[in-house]
Amino acid sequence: MAPPVLLVIAHGSRDPRHAATVHALTGRVRAQRPGLRVETAFLEFNAPSVPRVLERLAAEGAAEVVALPLLLTRAFHAKTDIPSVLREARARLPRLHIRQADVLGPSPLLNATLGRRLREAGVRPGDIPRTGLVLASAGSSDPEAIAVIAEIARELRHTGWCAVRPAFASASLPRPEDAVRALRADGVRRVAVAPYVIAPGRLPDRIAAGAEAAGADVLADVLGPAPELARLLLDRYDEARVPVGASLSA
């Protein structure tokens, strides 16, 4: 029996870099697990839409789909938008079994991806003890999502950074530029900003602009199609398709 199709659901953006990054990431997922069918859909702005992809899969005879939100926290899109779209699809396509996987974060693999991007931006291991880090997420009005970002910042503080502050490009405070300035006010002389965002777009651009305006020393790239992130997508897929108490080899 063929394994369930992995359907990666991204938010979508008018910025073409967003979709290009999502497709590069799903391409890396395919490369890591040859033989797994991986499809990509978007909630808005980009094609194909989630309903269209699910309709096509049902028409082609697919039996099962794992729908994986390309999201870092459980906020509105993960709790409301995607479940609603999937409920409607289940009602229209009763022969297609659709499971929703968990969001990506938090995860050590995401922290590893952050570390990769910071190293690529020029942060060396010896720099970390004298560098303050701004963990800059897109932002959310959901308290659970904000709490997750704050907890990740606390965890990162224990990995050697002299200070770590969370920041948000929208919906919440502080802004990235304010977090950079706060670290400077605390006496931190070297500051790095790490976008906790998967793909380029309006909010990552806002993070970059804030980092530049506040004079951050290092600005890392978005998480993008990193191998660690591709591995995490496959982990979430495996968790969703295996019943609790079962094993992949069962």
Side-chain angles (χ1 to χ4, degrees):
M1 181 180 295
V5 176
L6 169 56
L7 174 60
V8 178
I9 302 177
H11 180 271
S13 171
R14 293 186 178 91
D15 189 323
R17 297 174 298 168
H18 175 91
T21 300
V22 172
H23 288 302
L25 176 59
T26 54
R28 189 178 284 273
V29 172
R30 292 185 190 97
Q32 288 194 12
R33 188 169 295 180
L36 174 64
R37 182 170 181 180
V38 182
E39 299 282 345
T40 307
F42 299 89
L43 288 175
E44 55 185 346
F45 300 122
N46 302 104
S49 68
V50 178
R52 297 294 82 76
V53 173
L54 290 171
E55 289 165 5
R56 174 165 55 81
L57 290 172
E60 293 173 358
E64 187 172 2
V65 174
V66 171
L68 194 161
L70 196 62
L71 301 169
L72 299 178
T73 59
R74 292 189 71 253
F76 181 79
H77 294 304
K79 294 177 179 178
T80 303
D81 279 356
I82 292 176
S84 176
V85 170
L86 297 182
R87 277 195 303 271
E88 293 172 3
R90 291 185 187 103
R92 293 195 318 273
L93 309 167
R95 294 186 179 181
L96 183 63
H97 182 63
I98 305 169
R99 301 186 188 189
Q100 180 176 338
D102 201 359
V103 297
L104 300 177
S107 168
L109 286 168
L110 286 172
N111 294 354
T113 306
L114 281 171
R116 170 188 289 273
R117 297 305 183 218
L118 285 161
R119 290 191 300 274
E120 291 170 351
V123 177
R124 298 167 298 183
D127 297 330
I128 291 175
R130 59 186 182 86
T131 302
L133 179 65
V134 174
L135 179 69
S137 81
S140 173
S141 59
D142 188 299
E144 179 184 351
I146 298 303
V148 167
I149 300 301
E151 178 59 27
I152 294 168
R154 283 191 289 270
E155 291 176 1
L156 290 172
R157 175 67 181 85
H158 296 298
T159 63
W161 301 93
C162 72
V164 181
R165 287 179 177 263
F168 308 93
S170 68
S172 306
L173 296 173
R175 297 286 183 257
E177 54 268 36
D178 297 329
V180 172
R181 292 178 181 126
L183 287 170
R184 299 282 195 211
D186 288 344
V188 177
R189 299 185 63 182
R190 179 175 170 85
V191 177
V193 176
Y196 192 67
V197 183
I198 292 173
R202 178 176 57 88
L203 295 180
D205 284 351
R206 189 178 294 175
I207 292 171
E212 181 179 0
D217 301 284
V218 175
L219 172 64
D221 201 355
V222 297
L223 301 176
E228 297 89 349
L229 189 53
R231 176 69 255 170
L232 178 56
L233 265 66
L234 288 169
D235 286 351
R236 293 291 184 257
Y237 167 82
D238 290 336
E239 293 163 2
R241 75 185 183 97
V242 178
V244 174
S247 67
L248 286 174
S249 59

